[in-house]
Amino acid sequence: MNVYDLATGPLVWLAFALCLGGLSVRTALFLRLARERDKPVFTGFEPRWAGLSILHWLLPLNVTALESPWVTLAGFLFHAGLLLVGFLGLGHAVFWNQAWGLNWWSIPDGLSDVLTLASLAAVLFFALRRLVRPEVKALTSAGDWLALALAAAPMLTGYLTAHGYGDPETMFLIHVCSGCALIAAIPFTRLSHALFFFLSRAVTGSDFGKRQVGAW
Amino acid sequence: MKRTLPFDVVSPMTVMAEAFREGRLKLKKHHYTEPVTFQDSCNFVRNGGNFKDARLLMGQVAGDFREMHPGGVHTYCCGSGGGHGLMSEYKKLRLATAKAKAEAIRRTGAKVVVVACHNCEDGIRDCVKEYGLDCEVHLLSNYLAEAVELGGAS
Amino acid sequence: MALDTIKISETLAAKWGARLGMWLEICARCGLCAKGCHFFQSDPRPEHVPAYRLKPLRQVLAAKGNISEADMAALVDTVYGTCTMCQRCTMYCPHGINIAFMVRATRALAVSVGLTPKGLASGLANALEMGNNLSITAEEYQETLDWQLEEVQEEMPEAACPVDQEGVRSMVTFHPRDIKFYPGNLYSYLKLYNAMGEDFTFTSQGWDSTNIGLFAGDDAAAGTLAGRVVAAGERLKVQRVVTAE
């Protein structure tokens, strides 16, 4: 087995196992802790408000979208590029199909390029914001840079691979490895918001909804 | 600490608006003519759901009601919440950061700010004084009591 | 007096919960909450960004409660001085992080080692000792009620001021200042409740429904204070308790 096979075989398995296993464990631990010592998480739960809250923030139907339109736009472009290309990019779709026999929609390469570049532009915007805006700069810690780098690396190397920049095999290998790092890191870093976004919005949405504030 | 209570806990605005809706509380329509705004309190409006109640009561007695922006559930705190009314050690900072609220009040052009919370009463009074706003501050109960139509309840 | 860091870590452990951990972890330090805060909107300094108020808690956690007196003083200034727990920032946070909830938990750390700011601490002590935070005596209370009833009766001769009446619909509570500084407010309450024909009563015990314990982040005190109002409501078998304005 060469490096290439290792990267696209066991490494990807390992990354997904860590990601899904990690998220399952974290969900279980969260629910256990909530049951033991944070009862309002359950007693206050209101499915309608939880659902609406999640919806209002998955779509730009919230006050922040109005008051901070640029950050919101960047946020959406960033996540759209990451998730759409990650799951549906043609190269990825072929890989899912060959590796696990999964068959779903794919998006054409041209669109993937646009999404990736927009997403990278958003990364750049976020990075600059962290450096330039004093109030954001003061909050920023090493973990924030790590999260940004973890997300940017596979997108950048993916784009470079697709367009033949650098040594194709090396670039591709870096792409796969950085992609695996991103996936594996989700449960163990701030990226866990992939899961906790929903739990947190459910808690807060229920709380604010009950008080007739609306879908927060 | 959490347990189910054998009674409901309601705010004065809930009680008054309910009585008004049921026709038990008669208030003189547009009793006041001066421009007036309402300080939505964090406790009662953002966290207590009294927005509609407040508008119902104010709309009845105020001939020239002005909304504050931001207001409603997006209201800025009066500055006196979270114990700030009692913490003299932070008073300077509290007054300095009441600027956003002062500007919101100033933009309404109101001559009266009605408050429905004792914390807000202090916060808004201090804010009005600190920023030289030409406004009186009245507690909602007092504002409504003066506009009560007597003999209407029987 | 040295800082009782053992007490801090015990309180920290007692306060730890699912929401606290989740919110500390997922805060992206994006700063969007700044739009939600009147401290920042009035005076845009980094320390006025709501997310900044989580810093002391992170620091205490990282040090497992073992933090210096200077850091503890900074914690007090941050969570008492720069936050009114109004919850506006939560409405601006994409993750819906309840900063006020975390601030209250952090305040509890200060309470546990007796660092409650003195204004709050003395108000709380009054409330616990005297039954209300302005040290009003039972006589003073009843006299003020009687006096204001007389005033109202000039306008509404049939007006009544029931106290400790059992089985009525609403038990009406006060802010102590209504009695001590603004008796005119009582006049208005009496006028309104009589005018609307509400089946109501005042209470001689547990009439102060303000809760400085909640502000201070002192759970035990908050429980005691709330418990008195609850006891009054239960004793009078009312259907609802009306809070102070």
Side-chain angles (χ1 to χ4, degrees), chain C residues 8 12 56-67 75 109:
Chain C
I8 296 177
L12 190 63
L57 188 55
R58 283 186 210 287
Q59 198 182 15
V60 179
L61 271 169
K64 297 193 169 64
N66 195 15
I67 74 164
L75 174 145
L109 301 178

Side-chain angles (χ1 to χ4, degrees), chain A residues 17 26 30 33-34 57 61-62 68 71 81 104 106 110 125 128 158 170-171 184 213:
Chain A
R26 297 230 41 198
F30 176 87
L33 189 59
W57 289 83
L61 300 173
N62 51 66
S68 308
V71 183
W104 58 48
S106 64
F125 170 82
L128 285 173
T170 315
M171 196 56 83
V213 174

Side-chain angles (χ1 to χ4, degrees), chain B residues 11-87:
Chain B
S11 78
M13 268 194 274
T14 307
V15 173
M16 292 189 285
E18 175 197 271
F20 179 74
R21 279 191 198 99
E22 292 171 359
R24 290 189 285 128
L25 180 61
K26 299 271 200 295
L27 297 165
K28 292 177 195 152
K29 180 88 183 163
H30 296 178
H31 178 69
Y32 300 100
T33 50
E34 74 270 9
V36 53
T37 188
F38 183 76
Q39 159 63 11
D40 289 301
S41 105
C42 305
N43 276 328
F44 293 128
V45 172
R46 179 169 21 257
N47 304 332
N50 275 136
F51 178 75
K52 283 183 188 150
D53 297 332
R55 294 306 178 278
L56 179 72
L57 296 165
M58 287 303 294
Q60 172 69 13
V61 299
D64 183 5
F65 181 73
R66 316 262 177 105
E67 283 288 353
M68 231 187 270
H69 297 284
V73 295
H74 290 105
T75 181
Y76 279 132
C77 171
C78 63
S80 198
H84 273 251
L86 290 164
M87 295 188 286

Side-chain angles (χ1 to χ4, degrees), chain B residues 7-8 10 12 18 24 42 46 74-77 82 84 86 89-90 97 100 118 122 139 141-142 145 153, chain C residues 41-42 77 80-81 83-84 86 88 107 118-119 175 177-178 185 188 191 195-196 198 239-241 243 245:
Chain B
F7 50 78
D8 295 330
V10 293
E18 175 197 271
R24 290 189 285 128
C42 305
R46 179 169 21 257
H74 290 105
T75 181
Y76 279 132
C77 171
H84 273 251
L86 290 164
E89 44 272 74
Y90 300 118
T97 52
H118 285 299
D122 284 348
L139 195 66
S141 290
N142 294 338
Chain C
Q41 293 302 313
S42 298
D77 283 342
Y80 285 99
C83 182
T84 62
C86 75
R88 192 172 189 266
R107 284 184 175 193
K118 56 181 187 307
H175 188 296
R177 59 192 285 161
D178 290 328
N185 294 353
S188 297
K191 185 170 172 185
M196 65 174 97
E198 181 74 20
Q239 289 167 37
R240 59 185 187 178
V241 168
T243 62
E245 262 191 322

Side-chain angles (χ1 to χ4, degrees), chain A residues 145-162:
Chain A
W145 291 113
L146 176 70
L148 214 51
L150 276 170
M155 292 199 287
L156 183 65
T157 52
Y159 186 83
L160 295 178
T161 303

Side-chain angles (χ1 to χ4, degrees), chain C residues 122-123 125-127 129-138 140 176 180 207-208:
Chain C
S122 65
N126 280 340
E129 192 190 332
M130 299 289 294
N132 64 80
N133 63 43
L134 291 173
S135 303
I136 297 161
T137 63
E140 224 180 312
K180 188 139 185 159
W207 53 263
D208 175 5

Side-chain angles (χ1 to χ4, degrees), chain A residues 62-189:
Chain A
N62 51 66
V63 64
T64 290
L66 292 172
E67 297 236 353
S68 308
W70 293 108
V71 183
T72 304
L73 180 69
F76 275 90
L77 288 176
F78 169 70
H79 285 94
L82 198 62
L83 296 173
L84 286 175
V85 180
F87 283 107
L88 305 178
L90 194 54
H92 296 149
V94 169
F95 176 80
W96 309 134
N97 183 266
Q98 285 175 349
W100 296 321
L102 295 170
N103 227 335
W104 58 48
W105 289 91
S106 64
I107 51 178
D109 282 341
L111 182 57
S112 285
D113 283 351
V114 173
L115 285 169
T116 306
L117 288 176
S119 201
L120 284 168
V123 169
L124 198 64
F125 170 82
F126 286 138
L128 285 173
R129 201 168 160 270
R130 287 211 181 275
L131 293 171
V132 174
R133 294 285 289 270
E135 77 274 18
V136 190
K137 193 176 173 182
L139 292 171
T140 300
S141 60
D144 301 318
W145 291 113
L146 176 70
L148 214 51
L150 276 170
M155 292 199 287
L156 183 65
T157 52
Y159 186 83
L160 295 178
T161 303
H163 291 271
Y165 292 97
D167 174 52
E169 276 181 23
T170 315
M171 196 56 83
F172 178 72
L173 209 59
I174 300 174
H175 175 62
V176 175
C177 291
S178 61
C180 287
L182 171 66
I183 292 163
I186 290 173
F188 311 104
T189 59

